[in-house]
Amino acid sequence: MKFVGIILLLFASMVMAKPIKVSQNSYPTIKYKAGKEYLAEQLSRSEQKDRFGRHFFANPQEFRKILALVDPELAAQGKWHSMGIQPWPNHPGNYIFIACDHQTNQDEQFFCPDPAQGKTIIALLKYNAKKEFILAAKPWINDGEALAGDRDDRNKAFLLRDGDSDEIIGRGRPAGFDFTRYRLSAKVSAFGLKYIVTHYHRPTKTIDEGVMLFAVINGHLRPLINVPTYHLAFDTETGDDGTIHLNHVFEENIYPLIVQSNSYKGMHIVDWIDQRKKGFWATRYVWDGINRYRIYISYGSD
């Protein structure tokens, strides 16, 4: 009976896996490489891409060892469905570790699930001469349970706001690392954690990406800035043969982060850029002198 159940499950997954058909005029116009990947994952039910380095944990015990470095109690708790480790480019011997606790039985493969349903851990590790991982800083742990009823948005993790109106778009889920060579000062480097928010307002659907920049400040790994970096609006339809068609891309916006060479209180200034057809708009962030960046001024023209 167990064998028959497996066969039925495989058959059901084959029926549900709808191939994707894309308009020849729409898909090639998408400029953002990650945007194409997000769109393909949203329109098809094929296996998601591993953006976290989950393949590292061929031996599950290796994951538990690293998790125990972060918090020994966590190593024996939770349903850790998504985890990975990747070397930090241009930082020899440094590795970025991510673990996501999922409180339901759904396994999202290579995506971290909804952060409101469990814990998310980001840790910076070093690989020492004994070929062992050790903590390079106090890890960042976001407790999803604290999000329940948090109407004043004290928990900023993965909370995406519109760059123009500052209205809340939604709370996203981690989707991959951003290893752009961010340097916030002569001594402080940073890496990004991407997260996405998807909405379905018929006929338009949207994919929004944000990024949180992490750096070690006073021995703690901290998220220093949290901004939108990508927006895609599109519509689809299902054909008679069950395929999903991409009809039209209404809008695609890419918002770069520019780290300026000038500084304030010892940390470089960061500009968030909204490039427009007839002009641009930017928001400037400056270091608060303690542990994060804050909005300083907005400028630009339409």
Side-chain angles (χ1 to χ4, degrees):
M1 291 297 294
K2 183 176 181 181
F3 177 76
V4 173
I6 293 175
I7 294 298
L8 290 174
L9 182 62
L10 289 174
F11 178 76
S13 65
M14 292 173 64
V15 173
M16 293 175 63
K18 298 179 180 179
I20 174 175
K21 282 189 177 180
V22 181
S23 167
Q24 295 297 321
N25 296 325
S26 297
Y27 192 80
T29 64
I30 299 177
K31 299 177 182 179
Y32 189 49
K33 180 181 177 181
K36 293 181 179 180
E37 294 178 353
Y38 296 150
L39 181 61
E41 289 174 351
Q42 292 296 315
L43 297 185
S44 66
R45 299 192 180 188
S46 59
E47 183 173 317
Q48 297 166 336
K49 182 179 179 180
D50 179 7
R51 299 187 180 93
F52 291 124
R54 191 179 186 184
H55 59 81
F56 180 87
F57 299 111
N59 180 357
Q61 295 304 317
E62 294 298 321
F63 163 69
R64 294 295 175 180
K65 288 179 182 179
I66 296 175
L67 189 60
L69 290 175
V70 177
D71 188 328
E73 293 185 5
L74 291 179
Q77 298 176 356
K79 299 177 181 179
W80 301 97
H81 283 279
S82 184
M83 67 290 290
I85 184 170
Q86 288 189 3
W88 189 357
N90 304 301
H91 294 76
N94 287 265
Y95 291 79
I96 310 299
F97 170 80
I98 183 169
C100 303
D101 171 26
H102 200 280
Q103 295 181 358
T104 68
N105 293 321
Q106 182 181 4
D107 187 349
E108 291 283 354
Q109 288 186 324
F110 302 127
F111 260 109
C112 279
D114 182 353
Q117 298 181 13
K119 293 182 174 65
T120 304
I121 298 170
I122 309 292
L124 177 61
L125 308 172
K126 284 187 177 293
Y127 198 59
N128 62 19
K130 296 181 180 180
K131 297 184 179 181
E132 297 175 336
F133 283 110
I134 59 174
L135 288 176
K138 186 174 180 180
W140 177 77
I141 302 177
N142 182 66
D143 191 342
E145 295 178 358
L147 300 177
D150 191 8
R151 296 183 179 179
D152 59 357
D153 303 320
R154 291 187 298 271
N155 191 321
K156 306 297 183 183
F158 315 117
L159 186 67
L160 188 63
R161 293 180 178 273
D162 184 274
D164 290 330
S165 65
D166 202 39
E167 294 182 358
I168 295 176
I169 296 175
R171 199 177 295 276
R173 59 181 184 174
F177 291 118
D178 176 6
F179 285 133
T180 302
R181 299 177 73 172
Y182 298 109
R183 180 164 290 280
L184 304 180
S185 74
K187 297 182 178 180
V188 179
S189 297
F191 65 88
L193 179 65
K194 296 179 180 180
Y195 60 98
I196 63 170
V197 180
T198 56
H199 286 297
Y200 300 92
H201 305 292
R202 292 185 179 183
T204 305
K205 303 178 181 180
T206 58
I207 300 174
D208 287 277
E209 178 196 82
V211 68
M212 297 169 62
L213 288 191
F214 284 81
V216 176
I217 303 296
N218 298 324
H220 292 245
L221 186 64
R222 299 181 184 275
L224 307 181
I225 196 171
N226 183 15
V227 293
T229 49
Y230 182 66
H231 171 76
L232 178 67
F234 61 97
D235 73 337
T236 63
E237 68 176 358
T238 303
D240 295 335
D241 58 354
T243 58
I244 301 175
H245 300 256
L246 172 63
N247 279 343
H248 182 63
V249 173
F250 294 105
E251 186 179 31
E252 183 189 31
N253 296 323
I254 304 172
Y255 309 112
L257 272 178
I258 307 297
V259 180
Q260 303 284 1
S261 59
N262 53 330
S263 62
Y264 179 76
K265 295 186 178 180
M267 295 284 277
H268 296 335
I269 290 172
V270 179
D271 282 350
W272 175 86
I273 308 296
D274 180 0
Q275 188 71 43
R276 305 181 182 186
K277 291 182 179 180
K278 296 182 180 180
F280 76 99
W281 198 261
T283 299
R284 174 158 290 181
Y285 294 83
V286 300
W287 184 244
D288 69 355
I290 304 174
N291 59 14
R292 70 179 59 187
Y293 280 88
R294 296 188 183 279
I295 293 178
Y296 172 68
I297 192 175
S298 295
Y299 63 93
S301 61
D302 290 316

